[in-house]
Amino acid sequence: MAPSRTTAEIATQPEVWREALRTLPRHAAALPRRGERVAVIGCGTSWFMAQAYADLREAGGHGETDAFAASRFPHGRRYDRVVALTRSGTTSEVLAVLGRLAGTVATTAVTADPATPVMDLAGAVAVLDFADEESVVQTRFATTALALLRAHLEAEDALPGGVATVAGAAEDAELALTRPLEAAVREAGQFTFLGTGWTYGLAQEAALKMREAAGAWTEAYPAMEYRHGPISITGPGRVAWALGPLPDGLAEEIQKVGGTLVADGLDPLAGLVLAQRLAVAVAEARGLDPDRPRNLTRSVVLADPGA
């Protein structure tokens, strides 16, 4: 059987991240300046990438950065720049925010499609058309947008300590595409993804991929919060998956209660690629088509985005 379209797009991520690196000089002028107070908005997957970038940028000393679901943007708060992440360029909530902000604050959109309304509403645009995708379930555009933003911080000497280069992340992503998924993970009945700092956004995205593609029971938490209740669901047949390092002692606690721990040692963005592969594998094992997720469309367009 031919691989799904989603699988094919997942497999392109190392190369499209490298393309983001190559195109950074073309997009750099649209991206936040050092010291700007920035808000990053998105919906669904893009919101989780916004969270990851906000943590990275602020921890690296590039400037105060907040992340919001577009529908929750605080219009009364002052920012020097608002960055919108939108694969389709048509998402209603994002367009509503950009339209309301027009002429009052600098705005930037990172999108995949140069023929959409966001091109007219944002003050500056970074078009990553080489990372566009046909799938409903978003994979490579989201990770490439984050790779571009991460590469920009790298170029500005503003990556937090311990965060690798995007080139290094791409090498790890190649490993993630070939690493076997153990039966205990593929056949688990529940998955909890854990992250620390910027990787918490990635943990939320990994859980979303499992829900979207496979209809799986998944949750995501900051790693330190896992002890404060969520560990109670851990046990045989259930997975705790760390994106990035775990706090001291947590691995032993997961193993003590019989959970299956995944701590792959990959760059966290590459670890997300492995989780994307798991989502497709679980979907197919359950007789689901990852290219046709239930109740989802490629873009959410509301009749009245201001409602």
Side-chain angles (χ1 to χ4, degrees), residues 106-229:
T107 56
T108 292
V110 181
T111 189
D113 191 343
T116 54
V118 75
M119 301 294 292
D120 296 321
L121 289 174
V125 183
V127 178
L128 309 182
D129 49 358
F130 56 87
D132 201 1
E133 51 203 354
E134 297 179 12
S135 298
V136 173
V137 175
Q138 195 175 161
T139 57
R140 74 179 180 191
F141 173 75
T143 61
T144 303
L146 183 56
L148 177 76
L149 294 165
R150 179 171 161 182
H152 183 241
L153 294 178
E154 180 185 334
E156 300 245 315
D157 195 26
L159 275 182
V163 179
T165 65
V166 172
E171 291 180 1
D172 274 8
E174 290 179 336
L175 297 176
L177 291 172
T178 60
R179 186 164 293 185
L181 293 164
E182 296 181 4
V185 176
R186 288 185 285 103
E187 297 168 7
Q190 188 275 341
F191 305 84
T192 300
F193 294 91
L194 305 174
T196 301
W198 73 282
T199 71
Y200 173 50
L202 302 186
Q204 292 195 84
E205 171 59 9
L208 180 62
K209 290 292 87 81
M210 294 293 293
R211 289 191 290 270
E212 287 179 331
W217 173 18
T218 62
E219 301 175 4
Y221 299 97
M224 287 298 291
E225 287 297 309
Y226 188 56
R227 291 186 176 98
H228 297 276

Side-chain angles (χ1 to χ4, degrees), residues 10 13 138-139 143 209 272-280:
I10 288 170
Q13 286 174 108
Q138 195 175 161
T139 57
T143 61
K209 290 292 87 81
L272 177 57
V273 173
L274 191 61
Q276 293 168 348
R277 288 182 55 221
L278 175 66
V280 170

